[in-house]
Amino acid sequence: MFAYYTKEDRELLRNVKAVRDYCKQIINDRRANPLKDGETADLLSILLEDEVYHNNDEVIVDECITFFLAGSQTVKATDGNILIHLIMNDDVRAKLMNELKSQVFTSANGEDPLSSLTYEKIQDLSYFSMVFNESLRLEPPVIFSGVMKFTEQQTLEGVNIARTDNIIVNLHQLHHDPDQWIDSERFLPERFDPESKYYLTPSGQRRHPLAFSPFLGGKRICIGKTFAEIVAKLVISGLVSRLEFEFADPKQKFEPKILLNVDQIVQPKIMLKAKAVKI
Ligand code: HEM
C-alpha cells in the first residue's frame, strides 16, 4: 500500500495511471484485432500468445513500458552524444562524412541523398560503428548495471561474495580504466580499429574482453543493442545529410562536454544551431 502525500506524488500517480491505461487500451485493441496471417509479430502479439503472459495484462504493461523506456532514453542519449562529439571533433566529422558520401549518399544529383540508404549499406559503415562505440565508451548511457546476485557463495579475484550480496557493475568506470585505454578521456574512434595503435592498452596488450560493455553481457545483455546501432546510423545519417550543426554558444566547443546519460534526473541542456546544407 502506497501513501501519496505531496502534489507531485499525486501528479506522478495520475501520470502512471494514464500511461498504464493507454497501454491497456492498446492491448484490448490488439485482442479485438489480432495480426493477420503474414503480418510480422511484434512484442505485444508475442506476449499475448505467451502462456505466462497472455492472461496478465498488468505484467504485459510492465514489459511494454520497460521496453519503451529502455529503448527510448538510451537511444536519445546516444544520438545526442554522437552529434555533439561530431561538432567538437572536426577530424572525426570529416572522416564520417567521407564514409557517408562514398558509401551512402550516392544518389544522383537532385535526389534525396538518403534515398540510397539501405540496411545492407548500414552494415558496411565501419567508421560509423567506431564513432558509435567510442561515444558509448566515453559516456555509457547506462552508467551502472542493475543489481545482480550469485546463487551460491563465490570467491572472485580473492573477494568473497555471499549469496545475499548485491553486485552492481560500474560501466562508466570500466570504460575509463587507464590501464585499458590509451588517453582514456579523449574521444578517439580509432580505439575500435584493429589497425590503430589505440586498439591496444597503454602497455601494448590486447584489451580485456569486458573492458567495453555498454550493453552489459551474459544473460543480462541488452536485447536492443543491434537495433540501437541501426537507429543511430539512420538518425545521424538523416540529420547530417541535410543539416550542419554547431553550438548555439561558440564557447561551448572549448568546454568539456556535459555528460548526458539516462541516470540524470535533470538532463543537461546544450543548445545547437542547424543550417540547411546540400551535400
Ligand atoms: C545505446 C542504447 C542502449 C544501451 C546503452 C543499453 C544498455 C542496456 C544495459 C546496460 C542493459 C542491462 C541492464 C541490467 O541488466 O542491469 C540493458 C537491458 C535492456 N535493454 Fe538496453 N540499451 C540500449 C538500447 C536498447 C533498446 C533500443 C532497447 C529496446 C528496443 C533496449 C531494451 C532493453 C531491455 C528490454 C533490457 C532488459 C531490461 C531488464 O532486464 O529489465 N535497450 N540495456
Side-chain angles (χ1 to χ4, degrees), residues 110-163:
E111 260 184 75
D112 180 354
L114 275 185
S115 61
S116 43
L117 182 63
T118 60
Y119 182 75
E120 286 68 33
K121 283 188 179 169
I122 278 182
Q123 311 301 313
D124 295 338
L125 295 175
S126 53
Y127 188 69
F128 204 136
S129 294
M130 292 181 213
V131 172
F132 176 75
N133 284 343
E134 178 63 347
S135 166
L136 294 181
R137 181 196 70 85
L138 205 55
E139 291 163 274
V142 180
I143 295 184
F144 293 105
S145 74
V147 171
M148 295 178 231
K149 285 182 187 289
F150 285 115
T151 46
E152 299 294 331
Q153 198 240 305
Q154 308 262 340
T155 305
L156 281 183
E157 308 272 335
V159 179
N160 287 329
I161 302 170
R163 224 165 51 86

Side-chain angles (χ1 to χ4, degrees), residues 38-276:
E39 281 184 310
T40 313
D42 56 14
L43 175 67
L44 182 54
S45 54
I46 293 169
L47 293 176
L48 285 173
E49 284 180 15
D50 186 277
E51 59 181 61
V52 176
Y53 288 90
H54 76 283
N55 274 333
N56 194 340
D57 285 10
E58 292 299 331
V59 183
I60 295 183
V61 171
D62 289 346
E63 288 298 323
C64 292
I65 292 178
T66 301
F67 255 76
F68 176 70
L69 293 179
S72 57
Q73 299 303 302
T74 48
V75 166
K76 182 189 82 173
T78 307
D79 294 359
N81 282 330
I82 294 177
L83 209 54
I84 292 168
H85 283 301
L86 293 181
I87 301 176
M88 298 187 85
N89 297 280
D90 295 337
D91 52 333
V92 176
R93 190 175 67 245
K95 277 194 201 167
L96 188 84
M97 288 309 285
N98 274 346
E99 182 175 68
L100 288 173
K101 281 182 195 164
S102 61
Q103 287 177 230
V104 174
F105 304 150
T106 49
S107 50
N109 264 353
E111 260 184 75
D112 180 354
L114 275 185
S115 61
S116 43
L117 182 63
T118 60
Y119 182 75
E120 286 68 33
K121 283 188 179 169
I122 278 182
Q123 311 301 313
D124 295 338
L125 295 175
S126 53
Y127 188 69
F128 204 136
S129 294
M130 292 181 213
V131 172
F132 176 75
N133 284 343
E134 178 63 347
S135 166
L136 294 181
R137 181 196 70 85
L138 205 55
E139 291 163 274
V142 180
I143 295 184
F144 293 105
S145 74
V147 171
M148 295 178 231
K149 285 182 187 289
F150 285 115
T151 46
E152 299 294 331
Q153 198 240 305
Q154 308 262 340
T155 305
L156 281 183
E157 308 272 335
V159 179
N160 287 329
I161 302 170
R163 224 165 51 86
T164 46
D165 284 343
N166 292 331
I167 302 158
I168 292 173
V169 181
N170 183 339
L171 299 170
H172 188 273
Q173 201 174 355
L174 207 59
H175 290 184
H176 288 254
D177 182 350
D179 292 339
Q180 292 289 320
W181 305 94
I182 301 172
D183 268 347
S184 60
E185 301 314 299
R186 276 178 67 198
F187 186 82
L188 288 171
E190 284 68 19
R191 297 179 195 283
F192 296 92
D193 175 0
E195 304 292 314
S196 164
K197 67 172 184 178
Y198 293 105
Y199 191 70
L200 299 174
T201 66
S203 60
Q205 309 296 310
R206 282 185 75 95
R207 279 196 300 263
H208 190 285
L210 297 177
F212 177 66
S213 303
F215 300 104
L216 209 62
K219 287 185 188 161
R220 291 270 289 265
I221 198 163
C222 172
I223 198 166
K225 67 192 278 286
T226 308
F227 181 70
E229 184 167 352
I230 292 171
V231 172
K233 286 178 172 173
L234 283 174
V235 169
I236 304 286
S237 304
L239 289 172
V240 300
S241 73
R242 296 196 178 102
L243 300 168
E244 205 171 78
F245 291 91
E246 58 180 323
F247 290 119
D249 175 2
K251 287 201 295 293
Q252 181 76 58
K253 185 160 180 172
F254 306 101
E255 299 287 327
K257 181 182 162 335
I258 306 172
L259 293 181
L260 177 56
N261 60 60
V262 299
D263 297 301
Q264 280 156 322
I265 307 287
V266 179
Q267 296 276 323
K269 280 201 185 94
I270 303 177
M271 303 303 284
L272 304 184
K273 277 198 300 200
K275 183 170 83 185

